Structures are given as structure tokens and as C-alpha cells.
């Protein structure tokens, strides 16, 4: 069992073949962090936890003048008992005090991984895949138990962490802060990396040195947000794509979050992630339990690339679920950029005819099919078919699409309501609001209050009805605004600050019910693109619309940054018309195709107005994509050139058995009289020969990785090329 308990030293050792994580119970009370990194056999605690009295650091234990919580590397620190750094949690008791002291009570080591009640989390398919440690701390005065939950996978270099509070006492307690994990690193000589952005510019990479004080990213928008993805990483100073220590943490949560790193005067670094404590209070009553979301923790000694490949494997195989988890996704057409709201059944049939002729596999009807939805000012909440546009209903257009050999998909935005809707007129209190205050509109809509059980039940019943009215194979679940006036008509005053988290619990209940009720539907999540691209949504919907920005040049940065955590199989990428609707840029069809082929390929353009040449190019592109789709969706990603560092971008996907690979290369702007450039590949078998694009000459993997492929000299902007690398079975080299 890869979790050992050393009774003599009071040390827990979580390990597999590649990583170790060690915790010590110091003075029989305090869980201290010893080590997280490459696998080690054992560790003497005195090697890593020397004690020294520091001026102004309180003496925590009367019998040990050198010991202070202010300088101890801890696993789940509190505030008020001597540690002046930011705590991982804070409770407020009936008398107004926020002082608690949770000390070690017991522990349990079990096979497998427990599910988190009401929350998405990584999972196991059998108990032999992982082992779980639960360290129970107790505050004897409050009679509350605090469970630190750790799971380590046997074949994944991953540790998951979460926390639960169990109220065993008699007085109500408020939880004001409850991070999902906290790690005190014994050094601060790191860089930190995050993914920031906004609508249409998601997941841009930012790396900078740690400084003294607190560095933080967060969302208080009611969603994980376009602005900051719920992911943060620490990197050794020399870390690159291929080399160096990287610690990445991602939160399995789709709501308000906070991730922070605090550097103290003694050059330690405290990393935490969890629910954003801003505007959050949870009332914990006697007999109740509160469970935090789960944090996914990945350590890689092989740079950012190693971290990404581990996150990809974890998310693909042990976070995403359902029948589509291990399947390539259908190549789709979405009518939005071709028609927006202005469509008829006749127009949709024209688009379906053209899409089918191109070899597209899935036809998706976007916004505008319900109520009186001719613009974005009305009808959200009225999920009845607009018979003026679709006289034969959803079933009629779906059956027409099926007759063309395609599947049928549908856009919905269930979490929203338009003030101009029958639903709002019947239930004006069903939206998030504060009595007596204005109701702020965004995109002419309000947010339904999913903290309410009756609203959630109505949504489940309504969309069960929608999804059974037609043969629907795909649903795009959109969410096009963030929360304002976050209050609930059904919660008492002392529970109003629970609203945002209760909303997420309600959403997860809806998604869990509908995805189980309709397992044959491929659900894609969306929030104006990547505004809710997080592991929590992937647990229910195995792919996400990466960005509303379909410009090929901008997509290079968006998809490259997103790939730090999320695999290609989870990313939707569409080819659209030019000039691009977001940037006005004109890029060649080949580049638009090749950028979208690096993820789940789709089309969002006037396919019924293509020239003959454009139609042929798209047909060939679709056929080619089907040839490489397995490698893209299930291969190991190696990022070769970053769009954040120059005009060239390159990355490759290598099949798990290294028998083939596909290399994508893009040059945004041409260079006059350029030098030759050789692109060095990665991830191949160095001992075998490969052909490039079925050429006559073959090269050893060793050559391709150490010397590389010479890139063509071009005299045009927006150049792109794809290289197919295939193994020759009959020849190999033995070093």
C-alpha cells in the first residue's frame, strides 16, 4: 500500500513509483509538511524541520522554546495561535471569536478513493488504483472534526486533496474560509505561473518571480471566469518545457475561487487554493458536514511539458466521464456565425445540405430556436420551439439532418432568464436578486437562482422535455454572464453568503441528473467561450468551447495556453469566415483549418456560400483530420515553439506507442531574407526510423529530436504546415 505510517517518527509517506509526499505530526498535534517531489525511500524529519526561536514568533509549546507555528511548514494552518501568515481556514464561533485549535486526533488509510458528496472530483474505476489517507483533527472546545483528505494514484503522478468539517458539537459555527489545500514550501526561489485573460483572450500565460508578500489570482464572478483559470503553478528558476521542477495545482470547481502564494521573511512559500473567501460565509449547524472542492496536485521533474501531460492524462481518464470519454468527437458545423438569429427552417436545410456534402458529421442549431428569440433581448427561460422559424419543430429539422447522414445538436442556456419572458413574468423571484435593489442586466439577461431546489427541479424537468422531443446527440450548454446582486429569496439572512456556493451545488445536481438521464448526448460546456473552462465542468461535460474568438492567430495563444492544463480532446475549435468577426483579420483557409485541427475540429461559417476551391480544400481537410484525429485527441502533447515568445508556434502530438506523431507549425508574419530554421521534435523513440509525410527517406527518432526538421522558407504571412511522422516497422537502431 503506497501510504505508510511511521509510528515512531509520526510520519506519513504517500508514494508511488515516481513521487513522494511526506507529513509529520509534530508534538503529537500539528500536521507539518515535510516533502513533495521525486520519489524518495525515506526521510529523517530533523533533516527538513530544524527549529529556531525567532523574535516576535510566539512560543507555541511551553516545553519547546524553539518551536513556533509562525515558522513551521504546515499542512492546514490556522490563524491566531502564533502563525501570522495567511491561514487555510477560519471559523467564527457563537461568541464572535475566530480562534480555533485543531489538533491531531486520528487517521485512517484505505484503498481506493471516496466520492465527494454533491461535488465533482477525480475518481477511480477500481480500488486498486489509489489509496487514501484521512487525517482527522479536532477542536475539543468546539467539538468539530476537520478531515484532511489525501489520495495518491498508483500510476498517475497525482495527489488530490480536500477538506471536510464535521460539526459534532451543540452550537452553530460559521466557516469564513476553507481552502481545499495548503502546502508550505521550504524555499521561495520559484517562479509562479498563471493563465489570465478576458472574453476572446482566454488562458494567456504569465510567468514571473515570486516576491515577498502575497501573490494571488481569484474570481468573484460566480464562475471560474475568463479572467483567471483555477490553476496555478510553481516552477524552479531554470524550468523549461522539458526540464526542471514544476508543481501545478488545479481546482475541481466552477465557481468563485482563490489561489495564492505567500512568501514570508524566512523565504518559505505558502501555496493555497480553494473557494474564494470573499463574500463567503457558511453556517455549519450541529450534525452537519461541509465538504470543500477538490484540488488536483501534479509534480513534474520534466518541466511544464511533463506537468501538462500528467494533467491531460488525469483529466481525460479520471475526471471526464461517460461514453464519450474515450471517443474521438464528431466533426461539427454550428450555424451561429453563418446566421446568428436570422434563420428559417429553409435556411438551416440549405446549410445542412452543404455541411453534409463536405463530410461534416454533426449539425448544431445555435441560439434563436425558441420563444420569440430574434435577438438577445428576449425569451431565455421560454424553452418552447419558435414555430415561425421551425414549423416542424426540433424533430423536423433533426430528422432532416439525420437523413443527410449527420447527427443533430442543440444550443441551450438553461441558467439564464430574460426579463422579457413568460418565465420571468410568472416567477420574478426565481433570479438572483436582493430585495429593494436594482437587478443589473448583462447581455439583457439575469441569472436564475440555482441555490433554490424548486428552480433546479424545474430546469431538470424542462430540459428533460427538450432533450426528448428530438433525436439530439449533442448539447452546447452556454452561460453568457456572471453574477450580480448575489442573493436568494429563499435563504435566511444568516445564509445569504452561501448563495454563490449553493448555486454551484445546484448546478452540479442538474448536470449530474441530466447527463445520467441522457448518457448518449455529448455535452459541451461554454461560458462565452472559456469563461468556465475548469475540471469541475469537465466532470459532467467532456469538452468545452475554448473561446468565442475563432481568429486563427489569436487561437494560437488561446489553445497553447489552455493546453498547459487541458488536453486537446476537451477543446472545441472552429473554422470561421474571414474577415474574422472578432478581429477583422484575414487568414488563409489552410491556416484556419490547421489551427482548428489541433483540437476538436468544427466549422462555424457560411458553408453554403463556399467557392468550389474552398469546398474542395475543406473536404480534403476533413479527410486529413480523420487520419490524424486519434493522435491529436489521445496523443502526448509536446509544445515546441510558443506564440507568446515570437511569431512562430509549433507543437506535436505523439501516439502513446510512439508509432506516429503529428507536428503543427505556424508562422504568423514572414521575415525578409530569413535564416534556415530546424525544428527539433520530442517524444519519439530514438532507436527507430520514421518517415515524414510518407517521403522516401527515413530518419531515426534520435536525428529528428537532436537535429530536427528544416522549416520551409516562405514569403507570405500566416503560413502553416503539418508534418506526419510515421514509424518504419522493419528498421530499428540499437544504441
Amino acid at each position: 500500500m503506497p501510504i505508510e505510517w511511521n509510528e515512531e517518527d509520526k510520519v506519513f509517506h504517500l508514494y508511488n513509483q515516481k513521487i513522494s509526499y511526506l507529513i509529520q505530526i509534530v508534538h503529537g498535534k500539528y500536521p507539518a509538511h515535510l516533502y513533495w517531489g521525486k520519489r524518495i525511500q525515506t526521510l529523517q524529519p530533523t533533516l527538513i524541520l530544524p527549529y529556531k526561536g525567532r523574535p516576535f514568533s510566539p512560543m507555541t509549546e511551553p516545553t519547546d522554546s524553539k518551536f513556533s507555528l509562525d515558522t513551521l511548514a504546515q499542512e492546514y494552518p490556522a490563524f491566531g495561535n502564533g502563525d501570522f501568515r495567511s491561514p487555510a481556514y477560519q471559523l467564527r464561533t457563537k461568541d464572535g471569536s475566530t480562534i480555533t485549535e485543531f489538533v491531531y486526533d486520528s487517521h485512517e488509510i484505505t484503498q481506493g478513493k471516496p466520492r465527494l458528496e454533491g461535488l465533482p472530483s477525480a475518481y477511480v474505476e477500481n480500488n486498486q488504483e489509489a489509496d487514501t489517507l484521512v487525517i482527522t483533527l479536532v477542536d475539543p472546545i468546539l467539538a468539530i472534526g476537520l478531515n484532511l483528505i489525501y489520495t495518491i494514484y498508483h500510476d498517475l503522478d497525482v495527489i488530490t486533496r480536500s477538506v471536510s468539517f464535521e460539526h459534532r458539537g451543540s452550537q452553530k459555527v460559521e466557516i469564513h474560509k476553507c481552502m481545499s489545500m495548503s502546502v508550505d514550501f521550504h524555499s521561495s526561489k520559484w517562479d509562479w505561473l498563471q493563465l489570465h485573460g478576458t472574453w476572446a483572450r482566454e488562458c494567456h500565460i504569465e510567468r514571473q518571480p515570486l516576491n515577498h508578500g502575497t501573490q494571488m489570482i481569484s474570481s468573484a464572478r460566480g464562475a471560474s471566469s475568463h479572467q483567471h483559470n483555477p490553476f496555478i503553478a510553481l516552477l524552479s528558476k531554470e524550468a523549461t518545457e522539458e526540464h526542471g521542477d514544476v508543481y501545478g495545482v488545479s481546482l475541481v470547481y466552477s465557481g468563485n475561487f482563490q489561489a495564492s502564494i505567500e512568501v514570508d521573511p524566512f523565504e518559505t512559500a505558502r501555496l493555497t487554493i480553494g473557494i474564494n473567501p470573499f463574500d463567503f460565509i457558511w453556517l455549519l449547524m450541529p450534525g452537519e458536514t461541509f465538504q470543500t472542492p477538490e484540488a488536483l496536485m501534479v509534480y513534474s521533474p520534466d518541466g511544464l511539458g511533463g506537468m501538462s501531460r500528467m494533467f491531460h492524462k488525469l483529466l481525460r481518464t479520471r475526471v471526464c466521464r461517460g461514453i464519450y470519454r474515450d471517443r474521438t468527437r464528431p466533426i461539427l458545423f454550428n450555424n451561429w456565425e453563418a446566421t446568428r438569429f436570422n434563420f428559417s427552417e429553409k435556411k438551416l436545410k440549405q446549410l445542412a445540405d452543404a455541411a453534409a456534402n463536405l463530410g461534416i458529421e454533426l449539425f448544431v442549431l445555435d441560439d434563436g430556436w425558441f420563444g420569440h428569440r430574434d435577438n438577445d433581448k428576449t425569451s431565455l427561460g421560454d424553452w418552447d420551439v419558435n414555430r415561425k422559424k421551425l414549423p416542424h419543430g426540433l424533430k423536423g429539422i433533426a430528422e432532416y439532418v439525420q437523413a443527410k447522414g449527420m447527427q443533430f445538436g442543440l444550443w441551450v442556456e438553461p441558467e439564464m432568464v430574460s426579463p422579457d419572458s413568460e418565465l420571468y413574468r410568472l416567477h420574478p423571484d426565481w433570479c438572483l436578486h436582493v430585495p429593494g435593489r436594482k437587478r443589473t442586466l448583462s447581455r439583457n439577461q439575469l441569472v436564475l437562482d440555482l441555490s433554490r431546489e424548486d428552480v433546479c427541479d424545474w430546469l431538470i424537468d424542462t430540459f428533460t422535455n427538450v432533450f426528448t422531443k428530438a433525436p439530439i446527440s449533442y448539447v452546447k450548454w452556454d452561460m453568457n454572464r456572471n453574477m450580480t446582486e448575489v442573493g436568494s429569496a429563499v435563504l435566511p439572512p444568516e445564509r445569504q453568503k452561501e448563495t454563490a456556493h449553493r448555486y454551484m451545488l445546484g448546478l452540479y445536481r442538474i448536470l449530474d441528473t441530466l447527463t445520467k438521464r441522457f448518457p448518449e448526448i455529448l455535452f459541451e460546456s461554454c461560458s462565452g467561450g472559456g469563461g468556465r473552462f475548469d475540471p469541475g465542468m469537465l466532470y459532467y461535460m467532456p469538452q468545452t468551447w475554448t473561446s468565442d474568438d475563432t481568429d486563427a492567430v489569436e487561437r494560437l495563444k488561446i489553445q497553447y495556453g489552455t493546453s498547459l492544463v487541458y488536453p486537446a480532446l476537451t477543446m472545441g475549435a472552429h473554422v470561421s469566415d474571414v474577415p474574422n468577426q472578432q478581429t477583422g483579420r484575414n487568414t488563409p483557409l489552410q491556416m484556419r483549418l490547421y489551427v482548428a485541427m489541433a483540437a476538436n475540429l468544427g466549422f462555424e461559417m457560411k458553408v453554403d456560400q463556399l467557392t468550389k476551391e474552398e469546398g474542395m480544400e475543406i473536404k480534403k481537410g476533413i479527410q486529413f483530420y480523420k487520419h490524424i484525429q486519434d493522435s491529436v485527441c489521445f496523443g502526448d502533447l509536446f509544445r515546441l515553439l510558443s506564440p507568446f515568445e515570437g511569431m512562430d508556434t509549433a507543437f506535436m502530438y505523439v501516439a502513446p506507442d510512439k508509432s506516429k506523431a503529428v507536428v503543427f507549425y505556424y508562422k504568423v508574419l514572414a521575415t525578409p531574407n530569413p535564416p534556415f530554421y530546424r525544428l527539433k521534435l520530442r517524444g519519439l523513440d530514438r532507436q527507430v526510423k520514421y518517415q515524414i509525410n510518407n517521403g522516401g527517406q527515413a530518419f531515426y527518432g534520435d536525428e529528428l529530436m537532436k537535429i530536427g526538421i528544416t522549416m520551409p522558407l516562405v514569403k507570405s504571412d500566416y503560413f502553416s504546415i503539418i508534418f506526419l511522422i510515421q514509424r518504419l516497422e522493419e528498421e530499428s537502431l540499437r544504441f
Side-chain angles (χ1 to χ4, degrees):
M1 185 175 291
I3 299 178
E4 294 180 352
W5 165 241
N6 183 324
E7 177 70 38
E8 181 179 354
D9 290 332
K10 301 293 187 292
V11 170
F12 299 100
H13 186 185
L14 294 76
Y15 64 90
N16 58 28
Q17 293 296 315
K18 293 186 178 179
I19 63 171
S20 286
Y21 192 102
L22 288 99
I23 307 158
Q24 184 182 27
I25 306 300
V26 177
H27 283 289
K29 299 179 181 179
Y30 311 110
H33 180 71
L34 296 181
Y35 176 80
W36 176 25
K38 284 185 180 180
R39 169 70 191 276
I40 59 175
Q41 295 304 311
T42 186
L43 179 67
Q44 299 300 318
T46 54
L47 182 68
I48 198 67
L49 285 181
Y51 302 131
K52 176 179 173 56
R54 302 281 189 182
F56 287 86
S57 291
M59 186 175 70
T60 305
E61 287 294 310
T63 59
D64 189 346
S65 62
K66 295 181 179 180
F67 178 79
S68 175
L69 291 176
D70 193 36
T71 56
L72 181 68
Q74 297 179 67
E75 282 293 305
Y76 204 67
F79 183 84
N81 295 316
D83 187 348
F84 296 106
R85 294 164 291 180
S86 181
Y89 70 97
Q90 188 173 49
L91 307 183
R92 186 176 186 270
T93 60
K94 184 180 180 180
D95 62 5
S97 170
T98 57
I99 302 303
T100 58
E101 187 174 25
F102 284 90
V103 296
Y104 173 78
D105 178 74
S106 61
H107 70 268
E108 182 180 21
I109 299 171
T110 58
Q111 274 197 323
K113 184 179 189 296
R115 292 186 178 274
L116 302 188
E117 185 66 31
L119 286 166
S121 61
Y123 60 88
V124 295
E125 291 189 336
N126 64 73
N127 286 339
Q128 285 68 49
E129 291 182 18
D131 290 277
T132 295
L133 165 68
V134 179
I135 301 175
T136 298
L137 314 178
V138 173
D139 185 310
I141 294 176
L142 295 178
I144 293 177
L146 193 164
N147 300 308
L148 306 181
I149 307 167
Y150 303 77
T151 295
I152 183 166
Y153 282 83
H154 297 185
D155 297 324
L156 297 169
D157 304 336
V158 174
I159 293 169
T160 69
R161 284 188 62 179
S162 68
V163 176
S164 67
F165 295 83
E166 296 180 6
H167 198 334
R168 308 167 185 172
S170 58
Q171 297 181 352
K172 65 182 182 180
V173 172
E174 293 175 348
I175 302 175
H176 284 229
K177 184 177 184 180
C178 51
M179 294 290 102
S180 296
M181 57 79 66
S182 179
V183 173
D184 283 351
F185 289 84
H186 299 274
S187 168
S188 65
K189 304 304 181 185
W190 305 95
D191 289 346
W192 72 291
L193 184 147
Q194 53 128 330
L195 300 174
H196 70 94
T198 184
W199 175 81
R201 280 193 288 109
E202 297 91 339
C203 285
H204 282 215
I205 298 172
E206 184 168 331
R207 175 178 177 172
Q208 53 191 312
L210 280 183
N211 297 310
H212 287 92
T214 300
Q215 291 97 139
M216 183 176 71
I217 60 171
S218 66
S219 171
R221 296 168 177 265
S224 48
S225 84
H226 297 87
Q227 284 66 29
H228 295 289
N229 197 267
F231 157 80
I232 195 168
L234 289 181
L235 297 75
S236 59
K237 293 292 186 179
E238 74 282 1
T240 64
E241 272 291 319
E242 299 179 76
H243 307 291
D245 290 333
V246 177
Y247 297 85
V249 179
S250 180
L251 190 66
V252 190
Y253 191 59
S254 311
N256 296 335
F257 80 95
Q258 181 188 95
S260 68
I261 309 166
E262 181 180 5
V263 177
D264 75 356
F266 303 113
E267 308 302 335
T268 69
R270 174 169 291 175
L271 170 64
T272 64
I273 195 169
I275 294 174
N276 193 338
F278 174 75
D279 207 40
F280 168 85
I281 297 175
W282 190 273
L283 181 61
L284 190 66
M285 299 297 289
E288 293 182 345
T289 296
F290 181 84
Q291 173 66 54
T292 72
E294 185 169 82
L296 309 175
M297 303 166 57
V298 169
Y299 163 73
S300 166
D302 301 317
L304 283 166
M307 179 205 72
S308 295
R309 289 186 288 277
M310 187 51 58
F311 268 124
H312 294 178
K313 188 173 182 180
L314 172 67
L315 292 173
R316 269 203 324 258
T317 65
R318 291 299 178 267
V319 172
C320 293
R321 302 178 302 161
I323 63 174
Y324 291 97
R325 186 191 73 177
D326 303 318
R327 293 183 185 177
T328 56
R329 310 293 159 71
I331 299 166
L332 68 82
F333 167 79
N334 182 299
N335 73 294
W336 177 247
E337 290 202 17
T339 67
R340 296 198 178 258
F341 295 106
N342 186 26
F343 62 83
S344 63
E345 187 175 85
K346 180 180 178 181
K347 179 62 175 179
L348 294 178
K349 288 180 177 179
Q350 290 175 358
L351 291 169
D353 293 344
N357 288 335
L358 294 172
I360 287 169
E361 300 165 328
L362 168 65
F363 184 96
V364 179
L365 174 57
D366 209 276
D367 196 358
W369 59 267
F370 53 92
H372 305 289
R373 186 79 165 170
D374 295 324
N375 52 55
D376 65 6
K377 297 179 181 179
T378 181
S379 299
L380 286 173
D382 298 341
W383 297 102
D384 295 315
V385 176
N386 184 331
R387 291 283 175 170
K388 290 182 179 179
K389 291 183 178 181
L390 301 172
H392 299 96
L394 289 177
K395 186 177 181 182
I397 188 63
E399 289 179 346
Y400 184 87
V401 165
Q402 284 188 324
K404 291 292 178 178
M406 296 182 293
Q407 297 173 303
F408 178 73
L410 193 66
W411 176 96
V412 296
E413 192 170 5
E415 300 166 62
M416 302 294 151
V417 63
S418 302
D420 180 15
S421 68
E422 291 304 313
L423 178 66
Y424 188 76
R425 284 184 277 272
L426 284 171
H427 300 287
D429 63 330
W430 273 19
C431 68
L432 294 175
H433 69 282
V434 175
R437 298 290 182 182
K438 69 177 182 180
R439 302 185 181 191
T440 303
L441 294 179
S442 179
R443 201 175 180 255
N444 304 298
Q445 59 198 54
L446 297 166
V447 183
L448 288 174
D449 181 4
L450 302 195
S451 74
R452 297 178 58 142
E453 187 174 349
D454 55 349
V455 174
C456 294
D457 289 341
W458 180 85
L459 284 171
I460 290 169
D461 291 342
T462 297
F463 285 93
T464 295
N465 183 47
V466 170
F467 298 157
T468 54
K469 280 188 174 180
I472 295 171
S473 300
Y474 161 101
V475 167
K476 181 177 181 180
W477 185 291
D478 211 344
M479 192 276 283
N480 277 311
R481 66 154 293 178
N482 293 139
M483 296 179 186
T484 55
E485 291 83 48
V486 183
S488 174
V490 298
L491 291 177
E494 64 271 20
R495 289 192 180 274
Q496 284 296 318
K497 289 195 174 186
E498 299 176 7
T499 304
H501 182 58
R502 286 187 179 275
Y503 180 102
M504 295 314 308
L505 296 177
L507 174 62
Y508 290 148
R509 180 169 77 87
I510 293 167
L511 297 181
D512 193 57
T513 302
L514 290 176
T515 54
K516 287 178 178 175
R517 193 168 287 179
F518 298 96
E520 73 283 0
I521 291 179
L522 169 60
F523 285 87
E524 177 177 274
S525 68
C526 174
S527 176
R532 208 161 59 180
F533 202 143
D534 57 67
M537 294 305 292
L538 289 178
Y539 183 79
Y540 304 101
M541 304 184 180
Q543 68 184 53
T544 300
W545 178 225
T546 316
S547 177
D548 280 348
D549 191 338
T550 55
D551 174 64
V553 174
E554 284 300 308
R555 270 296 185 120
L556 290 175
K557 289 184 177 179
I558 293 168
Q559 291 174 202
Y560 189 98
T562 302
S563 78
L564 255 68
V565 184
Y566 305 100
L569 187 62
T570 65
M571 287 191 267
H574 294 177
V575 180
S576 62
D577 286 320
V578 291
N580 179 264
Q581 292 188 11
Q582 289 80 38
T583 66
R585 198 187 330 262
N586 284 281
T587 52
L589 180 55
Q590 177 172 297
M591 185 175 187
R592 285 176 274 150
L593 277 165
Y594 284 8
V595 170
M597 284 183 188
N600 288 315
L601 175 62
F603 295 84
E604 198 160 337
M605 61 196 307
K606 297 180 179 70
V607 291
D608 58 337
Q609 298 179 25
L610 298 172
T611 66
K612 183 179 179 180
E613 291 74 19
E614 289 171 334
M616 288 301 299
E617 187 171 356
I618 289 175
K619 278 186 177 181
K620 290 180 180 178
I622 289 174
Q623 292 169 358
F624 178 69
Y625 179 70
K626 290 180 179 179
H627 182 65
I628 65 172
Q629 193 173 12
D630 275 348
S631 296
V632 171
C633 292
F634 303 111
D636 292 325
L637 171 65
F638 294 85
R639 290 180 292 266
L640 308 179
L641 294 172
S642 170
F644 296 98
E645 298 175 1
M647 289 294 174
D648 300 282
T649 303
F651 42 83
M652 63 186 293
Y653 296 96
V654 181
D657 65 357
K658 300 187 178 184
S659 62
K660 58 184 177 180
V662 55
V663 180
F664 296 86
Y665 173 80
Y666 314 92
K667 177 178 281 293
V668 174
L669 297 179
T671 302
N673 195 23
F676 284 106
Y677 176 75
R678 287 189 293 272
L679 183 67
K680 295 180 181 179
L681 307 187
R682 297 182 198 148
L684 302 175
D685 188 331
R686 60 195 292 265
Q687 299 184 12
V688 304
K689 278 191 171 182
Y690 295 89
Q691 282 185 319
I692 303 174
N693 292 342
N694 297 314
Q697 192 173 2
F699 304 89
Y700 285 110
D702 191 50
E703 297 175 88
L704 296 175
M705 291 189 290
K706 291 184 178 179
I707 300 171
I709 303 174
T710 301
M711 294 295 100
L713 300 178
V714 294
K715 294 183 179 180
S716 65
D717 296 339
Y718 312 130
F719 171 79
S720 59
I721 190 171
I722 297 177
F723 298 95
L724 284 181
I725 314 296
Q726 294 178 299
R727 182 172 62 196
L728 284 179
E729 299 296 338
E730 68 274 11
E731 293 195 56
S732 63
L733 178 67
R734 301 298 172 200
F735 290 98

